[in-house]
Amino acid sequence: MPIRVHLDDLLAEKNMTLTQLSETVGITMANLSILKTGKAKAIRFTTLEAICQAIDCQPGDLLHYRRE
Amino acid sequence: MILINDMVSNTPYQPGRTARIFDLSLRIVTVALVVITTIGAFVIAISLAGRGGSYSVPSWLDGAYRVEFDDGRAIAITDGTANTYENFEIGRERDTLTGTVALRAMVEVSRDDRDSRAVVGVIVIAALAATWLAVLSLRAVVASVIAGEPFALANATRLRRLAIAILAVPVIQFVGQQALQRTFDPDLPFVPEIGIGVPSWLMLIVGLGVLALAEPFSEAARLREFEQATI
């Protein structure tokens, strides 16, 4: 998939763990793992909004398009 | 703390009473089918071994084979073959142009030869195979509904199998009829009646309907898979 999710980088930048993010935004660890590993097929605006709010970033910081 | 409301209810799926009754009915049908298959296999084996005696096929005496009669009570068909005819149900048809009365009769054609037995055996095996395919496919679909997973890709395949089984019935009927007719004297216009009492056009419509139903199931399964991978 040409869309890359940079959740790991952002979490490291903010000194936050996946567990903390999970507790903050109310998304299960399983779903966050799917998102982190790039296995997600779609992301809801509500999820994107919650993650961006929790780690204080822009959607563009989280998602990157790379031509394959 | 930010919480995202679940868009899908987390309440466990509770199968409806209809699904359970349907499942129970299919279980009973399966048991009956096991009995019928066992008896059928036994009868076919005995018949092909040449020990089953003669059997009778209800057939329509139709078409060009016309017998004119004057009193309308006693009909004798002598065709010089080894076929024997019993249980006449005679219908008279008057040709309005010539004024002649033609015979249309339901006749039990009794046969006692290996070719006919083999044909009947193949017809029975094909019919049983189609019935098994239909029942097993339907049971799997109902089981998935009870399990709360009706929109699985496997169900689309099962529905296609069910459609094939339904569409196979008129095909088996037609091919079987033609094959059986050829084992009779080809000069005699006897048309074997081997249907299940449901018109072929209705089976075709139902079969094509189930085949069409498989497509939305396939699409729903794809959407569900997409939904499950949506965060």
Side-chain angles (χ1 to χ4, degrees):
Chain A
M1 196 151 172
I3 301 288
R4 307 280 171 189
V5 182
H6 297 291
L7 192 58
D8 268 345
D9 299 340
L10 285 170
L11 286 174
E13 215 173 275
K14 305 288 176 183
N15 288 323
M16 196 184 246
T17 63
L18 205 62
T19 314
Q20 284 172 323
L21 181 67
S22 169
E23 285 167 0
T24 311
V25 299
I27 300 174
T28 61
M29 281 290 286
N31 276 345
L32 280 179
S33 294
I34 290 171
L35 185 65
K36 195 182 76 169
T37 51
K39 288 176 183 169
K41 289 197 175 179
I43 180 166
R44 293 189 186 96
F45 275 177
T46 48
T47 308
L48 198 56
E49 183 189 336
I51 293 172
C52 286
Q53 195 174 341
I55 55 180
D56 190 25
C57 70
Q58 292 297 313
D61 300 330
L62 188 66
L63 306 172
H64 282 266
Y65 171 74
R66 187 189 293 171
R67 194 181 297 275
E68 285 185 332
Chain B
M1 184 172 171
I2 305 153
L3 284 174
I4 297 174
N5 291 330
D6 282 343
M7 294 184 76
V8 182
S9 169
N10 286 328
T11 311
Y13 173 76
Q14 296 292 326
R17 183 181 287 179
T18 311
R20 287 196 180 283
I21 291 172
F22 201 55
D23 184 52
L24 185 66
S25 308
L26 282 173
R27 281 171 194 271
I28 294 167
V29 168
T30 308
V31 172
L33 206 52
V34 168
V35 174
I36 291 169
T37 304
T38 310
I39 294 171
F42 189 67
V43 169
I44 289 169
I46 287 179
S47 181
L48 287 178
R51 294 182 181 177
S54 65
Y55 69 91
S56 296
V57 181
S59 308
W60 281 106
L61 174 63
D62 206 358
Y65 195 73
R66 286 162 168 258
V67 177
E68 291 186 17
F69 54 101
D70 49 15
D71 62 355
R73 294 173 65 86
I75 306 296
I77 300 174
T78 51
D79 55 29
T81 70
N83 295 314
T84 56
Y85 313 110
E86 300 160 354
N87 303 330
F88 284 67
E89 286 176 25
I90 301 163
R92 279 185 286 178
E93 289 178 0
R94 182 180 290 276
D95 189 325
T96 51
L97 289 176
T98 62
T100 56
V101 178
L103 175 71
R104 180 176 163 79
M106 191 69 186
V107 184
E108 293 277 336
V109 180
S110 294
R111 303 282 302 181
D112 191 17
D113 63 290
R114 187 162 283 195
D115 285 353
S116 301
R117 284 176 182 167
V119 170
V120 170
V122 170
I123 293 168
V124 171
I125 290 168
L128 280 173
T131 311
W132 270 112
L133 184 63
V135 170
L136 291 179
S137 302
L138 208 52
R139 272 193 68 175
V141 170
V142 173
S144 70
V145 169
I146 289 172
E149 300 277 339
F151 296 114
L153 205 57
N155 270 355
T157 310
R158 286 164 188 152
L159 284 175
R160 284 192 197 101
R161 281 188 195 142
L162 178 62
I164 288 167
I166 294 169
L167 289 171
V169 173
V171 175
I172 293 168
Q173 190 176 337
F174 177 76
V175 174
Q177 196 174 45
Q178 296 296 314
L180 204 56
Q181 199 170 9
R182 273 162 180 71
T183 64
F184 293 169
D185 190 327
D187 295 331
L188 292 174
F190 284 101
V191 183
E193 189 88 352
I194 56 167
I196 55 168
V198 181
S200 294
W201 60 265
L202 188 61
M203 299 294 280
L204 284 172
I205 288 174
V206 172
L208 290 174
V210 174
L211 200 60
L213 193 67
E215 290 311 309
F217 261 80
S218 181
E219 183 61 16
R222 195 187 64 78
L223 288 173
R224 190 167 180 271
E225 192 184 323
F226 191 84
E227 166 63 25
Q228 281 175 340
T230 298
I231 308 301

